[in-house]
């Protein structure tokens, strides 16, 4: 029986405090007495020799040698309920939007196990995101997990806001992990708006907060999404960013004494990533469709976190700085992106249309330099002729003005009509035409 167990601080080591005579499990929530003021909440992160290592959820100021440490709970839980809709909460589930705290009677574990593989329902129903390029060329399904990979400043926040506002999901849960403080309110007011916030829950842990709270915010958002999924809802979970979640775990791991491995990341960082993303998915009652943004350092596709996430997800959406600089929004590099479930989710006409447009984009990309300098002569390559002729129409389809709303049906219909223009073009005889001669068939 651990209730009422106490210990005392004997040493501080960087961001952690060593506690003697305190045999409590890793992950337990404890409180530490200060020299003056309120107690400090902390979490047990490991052991070293005969001491228990705890990391405060605020700072170590006011803690002295001999400060009493008391066990609060052996596991962390979160209060959840329908009252969270339309609210902005912190990593501990407390509303921070200035309105009264909602009455939440149910508690769920913060780190719940993922669905049993044999209980996962097959993903066979598409989910509209409100982004035309994704719905047409990278169709996502209810319960699918995708990554949005990009460097800084290429439009991730605007893309997230568009999806949160215009998705066909019943509920949206947005996790803002490690963001600058001003960006939280800007995202809520400018990108999400009152309409999007009304059916959303925003979980925020800014960059100045301790690493434990940044990690906990990701778990809290996933727990909230699981609650609504178990109520029979189709949930869209958007997490920005999983890279900052990994960086926070790196802080915790190094503070607990883990050796750095890949580019300074300890092994625990790569161990918790699948535990987080595997919690999304489709069950017999509802679904969690998850988009995780991944900050790519120096636009390096092989950056450790990006490389690990690509292997865990069911697809990735790559945002191009080159397209962003041209004012192409959303700056999705279709050729570098993929939805691994699109073949099962899209109609035969939609799949063939997407393949035709993708092939035209690839042909143009291979010969762009020749076309730009005027070295290409029309008629030498029918496929390139078609790519050049359709260039503006394809870009018009892939672009979307901020605030424009498209349904999944609208996006796929426009895509099929666009590909049908290629099928009747006499300079592109090599493209298949069987299913595109009558797009409405």
């Amino acid at each position: 029986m651990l209730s009422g167990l106490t210990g005392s601080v004997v040493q501080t080591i960087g961001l952690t405090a060593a506690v003697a005579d305190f045999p409590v499990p890793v992950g337990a929530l404890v409180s530490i007495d200060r020299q003056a003021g309120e107690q400090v909440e902390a979490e047990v992160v490991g052991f070293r020799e005969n001491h228990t290592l705890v990391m405060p959820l605020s700072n170590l100021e006011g803690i002295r040698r001999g400060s009493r440490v008391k066990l609060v709970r052996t596991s962390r839980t979160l209060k959840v309920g329908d009252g969270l809709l339309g609210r902005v909460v912190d990593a501990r589930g407390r509303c921070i939007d200035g309105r009264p705290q909602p009455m939440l009677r149910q508690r769920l574990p913060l780190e719940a196990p993922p669905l049993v593989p044999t209980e996962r329902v097959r993903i066979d129903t598409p989910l509209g995101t409100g982004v035309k390029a994704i719905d047409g060329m990278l169709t996502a399904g209810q319960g699918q997990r995708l990554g949005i990979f990009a460097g800084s400043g290429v439009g991730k926040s605007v893309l997230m806001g568009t999806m949160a506002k215009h998705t066909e999901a019943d509920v949206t849960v947005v996790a803002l992990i490690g963001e600058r403080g001003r960006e939280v309110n800007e995202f809520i007011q400018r990108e999400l708006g009152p309409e999007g916030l009304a059916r959303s829950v925003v979980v925020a842990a800014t960059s100045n907060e301790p690493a434990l709270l940044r990690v906990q915010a990701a778990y809290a958002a996933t727990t909230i999404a699981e609650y609504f999924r178990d109520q029979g809802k189709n949930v869209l979970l958007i997490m920005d960013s999983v890279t900052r979640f990994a960086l926070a775990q790196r802080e915790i791991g190094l503070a607990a004494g883990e050796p750095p491995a890949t580019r300074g990341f300890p092994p625990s960082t790569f161990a918790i990533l699948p535990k987080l993303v595997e919690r999304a998915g489709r069950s017999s009652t509802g679904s969690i469709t998850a988009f995780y943004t991944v900050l790519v350092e120096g636009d390096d596709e092989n950056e450790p976190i990006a490389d690990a996430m690509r292997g865990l997800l069911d697809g990735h959406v790559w945002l191009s700085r080159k397209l962003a600089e041209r004012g192409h929004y959303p700056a999705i590099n279709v050729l570098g992106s993929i939805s691994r479930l699109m073949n099962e989710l899209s109609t035969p006409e939609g799949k063939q249309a997407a393949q035709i447009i993708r092939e035209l984009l690839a042909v143009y990309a291979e010969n762009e330099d020749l076309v730009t300098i005027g070295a290409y002569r029309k008629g030498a390559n029918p496929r390139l002729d078609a790519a050049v002729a359709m260039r503006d129409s394809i870009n018009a389809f892939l672009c979307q003005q901020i605030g424009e709303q498209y349904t999944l049906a609208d996006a796929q219909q426009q895509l099929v009509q666009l590909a049908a223009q290629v099928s009747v073009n006499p300079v592109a005889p090599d493209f298949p035409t069987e299913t595109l001669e009558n797009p409405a068939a």
Side-chain angles (χ1 to χ4, degrees):
M1 191 71 176
L2 298 178
S3 178
L5 191 63
T6 62
S8 60
V9 174
V10 295
Q11 185 182 11
T12 58
I13 308 167
L15 301 175
T16 63
V19 184
D21 303 321
F22 199 53
V24 297
V26 171
L29 184 67
V30 303
S31 63
I32 308 174
D33 290 342
R34 290 183 193 260
Q35 180 71 22
E38 296 181 352
Q39 294 178 328
V40 180
E41 285 190 336
E43 181 184 330
V44 177
V45 296
F47 308 97
R48 184 173 300 168
E49 297 177 352
N50 295 324
H51 296 152
T52 300
L53 299 180
V54 301
M55 180 175 284
L57 298 181
S58 53
N59 56 61
L60 292 168
E61 184 179 351
I63 297 174
R64 62 174 177 81
R65 183 182 181 89
S67 292
R68 190 183 71 148
V69 183
K70 183 179 179 180
L71 175 65
V72 178
R73 282 194 302 270
T74 55
S75 62
R76 294 175 298 170
T77 59
L78 187 76
K79 287 185 176 182
V80 294
D82 292 346
L84 290 173
L85 280 175
R87 306 303 300 270
V88 183
V89 302
D90 63 11
R92 305 178 199 184
R94 301 177 304 192
C95 292
I96 56 174
D97 51 13
R99 295 158 55 193
Q101 298 293 325
M103 293 294 293
L104 307 172
R105 303 187 183 279
Q106 187 172 348
R107 281 186 177 270
L108 292 179
L110 202 59
E111 298 184 44
L115 293 171
V116 177
T118 54
E119 294 179 359
R120 290 182 181 268
V121 179
R122 180 181 175 186
I123 299 173
D124 56 6
T125 306
L127 177 73
T129 64
V131 180
K132 188 168 49 168
I134 293 178
D135 291 346
M137 300 295 296
L138 306 164
T139 310
Q142 294 177 5
Q144 190 172 353
R145 304 166 311 195
L146 297 101
I148 300 175
F149 294 76
S152 58
V154 292
K156 292 188 302 300
S157 296
V158 180
L159 181 61
M160 286 169 47
T162 301
M163 289 193 293
K165 189 184 299 183
H166 301 310
T167 179
E168 295 176 2
D170 302 315
V171 176
T172 303
V173 179
V174 181
L176 302 176
I177 313 297
E179 291 283 352
R180 292 179 284 271
R182 67 168 180 82
E183 291 182 330
V184 174
N185 224 24
E186 286 183 3
F187 175 82
I188 294 169
Q189 296 178 1
R190 184 179 62 193
E191 313 298 350
L192 198 56
E195 177 189 351
L197 182 60
R199 59 187 182 120
S200 302
V201 183
V202 178
V203 183
T206 53
S207 58
N208 62 294
E209 296 190 51
L212 275 174
L213 290 180
R214 281 176 272 147
V215 169
Q216 186 170 319
Y219 289 135
T222 306
T223 300
I224 293 169
E226 288 172 334
Y227 165 78
F228 285 107
R229 178 194 63 192
D230 294 342
Q231 301 301 310
K233 306 289 187 181
N234 291 316
V235 183
L236 176 65
L237 171 63
I238 304 174
M239 188 172 295
D240 183 24
S241 74
V242 76
T243 303
R244 295 193 179 107
F245 167 79
L247 291 171
Q249 178 60 32
R250 180 173 70 177
E251 286 185 42
I252 297 170
L254 295 177
E258 275 193 89
T262 308
R263 292 199 192 178
F265 287 97
S268 65
T269 300
F270 300 99
I272 68 168
L273 288 175
K275 293 179 181 178
L276 178 69
V277 302
E278 282 292 336
R279 291 172 65 181
R282 187 177 178 187
S283 69
S284 58
T285 55
S287 67
I288 301 175
T289 307
F291 281 83
Y292 301 94
T293 69
V294 182
L295 287 171
V296 183
E297 184 180 349
D299 294 339
D300 179 12
E301 298 183 27
N302 298 316
E303 188 267 336
I305 302 302
D307 193 48
M309 288 298 291
R310 273 202 305 271
L312 295 173
L313 300 173
D314 305 319
H316 53 271
V317 179
W318 187 266
L319 300 188
S320 165
R321 187 174 301 278
K322 184 177 179 181
L323 290 176
E325 291 170 349
R326 294 177 180 174
H328 185 292
Y329 171 79
I332 297 174
N333 177 6
V334 173
L335 295 178
S337 306
I338 188 172
S339 170
R340 292 192 173 102
L341 297 178
M342 181 172 175
N343 286 338
E344 299 182 30
L345 299 169
S346 186
T347 63
E349 294 83 1
K351 285 187 291 187
Q352 187 171 3
Q355 181 59 35
I356 289 175
I357 300 305
R358 187 178 285 270
E359 187 171 350
L360 287 177
L361 289 169
V363 169
Y364 188 90
E366 291 172 0
N367 298 274
E368 185 172 9
D369 291 341
L370 292 177
V371 175
T372 302
I373 65 175
Y376 174 72
R377 187 177 60 202
K378 185 176 180 180
N381 184 336
R383 288 177 178 267
L384 182 54
D385 288 343
V388 172
M390 295 291 297
R391 178 69 174 170
D392 290 341
S393 297
I394 292 174
N395 279 339
F397 171 77
L398 296 178
C399 287
Q400 181 173 335
Q401 295 296 320
I402 297 174
E404 275 190 305
Q405 182 175 359
Y406 293 92
T407 65
L408 177 67
D410 291 338
Q412 296 193 342
Q413 182 182 16
Q414 289 187 28
L415 178 66
V416 171
Q417 291 173 348
L418 180 65
Q421 297 176 30
V422 181
S423 67
V424 298
N425 189 331
V427 301
D430 295 332
F431 285 96
T433 61
E434 293 80 7
T435 62
L436 291 175
E437 291 176 347
N438 183 9

